[in-house]
Amino acid sequence: MTHAVVTGLGVVSPIGIGVPAFADSLFAGRSGIGPLAGMPDRPLAIPVAAQVRDFDPAAHIDPKRLSLLDRTSQLALVAAREAVGMSGLSFAGPLSERTGVVLGIGVGGMTTLDDAFLRLYGEGANRLHPLTIPRLMFSAPAAHLSMEFGITGPAFAASSACASSGHALGMALMLLRAGMADVVITGGAEASLSFGALKGWEAMRIASSDTCRPFSKDRSGMVLGEGAAVLVLETEEHARRRGAAVLAGLAGVGLGADAGDITAPDPRGAARAMRAALTDARLDPEAVDYINAHGTATAANDVAEAQAIHDVFGARAARLPVSSSKSMFGHALGAAGALEAVATVLALTRGIVPPTANFTEPDPACPVDAVPNAAREMPIRVALSNSFAFGGLNAVLALRRT
């Protein structure tokens, strides 16, 4: 079987722009959650978010090009440049056709859509910006990455709400295994902190009013975030042949659907996805040293995930380190799985389990070792990264140290 390895990482996140800053905050348990800024002066019952606060697009992208890019594409492009730079790859010549782009996008260009609807309905405009559709379409970030690097292989978006980038990495792995590519630039991006989108989340009544406390007894809901994370995947043979520095291996992926409720999670579906990832990676549950949890801090999701972990890992479940990085960088929807995959790769390479920040009191309904508030040094050979989405669309990645 073809083995896939990670040779590049790139991040734009609420806890740091660039992998070094991201890693420093991740292992320090430093939160990027704060008061929501930049919204209209209108009532909104979501006071906090995890925003990328120090991102100046003009510092990274030619101003003449900016009009083509929604914020989602801007974040993706900057993260991809870092990942490709770290990989040392150039896509000139035949590799252009042997490289793909697969990005997870949960809701697309919501800031572009919000601005367009404000003009149309709020200001009575009869015309919108001619690039409205190319900016907001789900596939725009993938298209811009293909153009940025001259990549002419398969390029597309994967969309499955909060599991979008988990599915994108899974599709990238399948492209490599199928022999359709030697390299795939993959991950996810999201910039959906627009007023209209936030009003939609407000109506669901699952957003926290203060911060994100996954697995804590007093958790009060999710905190929305934004960001982008990009990973360069290659076949192990291709990476070794060119002498690349290998960061980790993507050993397997488990995909599945609950086939139940549109919003309520089913622990049986989550358990099936974890088992499928282990089966695909040809690993036993005993091999897993760490789980980077979906960990949204909603009442139902954390309980369901804890139940699924106990179903899969049995007596080991209560001792297995299970932390939620969303406690620091929020829930970035389509980008969440990619940010968490980068966090998991860093955990493997450094031998450090990132903490669950903001943890207060254990919840008997979530009997897991949540690695509360402080990182933990320990050998990590194999880790899972969980993504469980609305609609019961689940994606679990199995990553290994190389």
Side-chain angles (χ1 to χ4, degrees), residues 330-378:
H331 194 342
L333 308 180
L339 288 164
E340 290 155 13
V342 170
T344 306
V345 170
L346 292 171
L348 287 162
T349 58
R350 299 189 182 200
I352 306 175
V353 174
T356 299
N358 313 311
F359 193 87
T360 54
E361 180 182 357
D363 183 353
C366 303
V368 297
D369 174 5
V371 194
N373 300 318
R376 185 180 303 165
E377 292 190 26
M378 57 174 280

Side-chain angles (χ1 to χ4, degrees), residues 305-320:
E305 186 166 13
Q307 290 174 349
I309 291 168
H310 276 262
D311 186 359
V312 174
F313 294 95
R316 286 190 67 221
R319 305 187 305 274
L320 184 62

Side-chain angles (χ1 to χ4, degrees), residues 25 28 40 67 103 107-108 146 149 159 169 176 192 204 207 220 228 236 278 284 300 309 339 349-350 384 402:
S25 294
S67 64
L103 288 185
V107 295
S146 73
F149 301 111
S159 186
L169 270 85
L176 296 174
S192 64
M204 293 198 73
S220 56
E236 187 171 27
L278 292 170
D284 294 324
I309 291 168
L339 288 164
T349 58
R350 299 189 182 200
L384 298 184
T402 54

Side-chain angles (χ1 to χ4, degrees), residues 100 127 130 196 240 345 390:
R127 296 183 60 192
R240 301 294 186 194
V345 170
F390 276 172

Side-chain angles (χ1 to χ4, degrees), residues 94-154:
L95 187 58
S96 169
E97 295 183 23
R98 297 290 303 164
T99 300
V101 180
V102 188
L103 288 185
I105 309 292
V107 295
M110 290 301 295
T111 55
T112 293
L113 187 64
D114 222 33
D115 291 344
F117 282 175
L118 175 63
R119 285 180 50 79
L120 188 65
Y121 299 125
E123 300 172 359
N126 288 320
R127 296 183 60 192
L128 297 180
H129 193 286
L131 297 174
T132 298
I133 297 302
R135 282 169 57 97
L136 66 82
M137 63 188 186
F138 282 48
S139 56
H144 283 292
L145 265 57
S146 73
M147 292 183 281
E148 172 76 8
F149 301 111
I151 291 168
T152 58

Side-chain angles (χ1 to χ4, degrees), residues 55-74:
F55 180 74
D56 177 11
H60 301 278
I61 301 166
D62 187 330
K64 294 180 181 179
R65 189 179 179 187
L66 276 178
S67 64
L68 297 171
L69 279 72
D70 177 83
R71 183 173 172 87
T72 304
S73 295
Q74 295 169 14

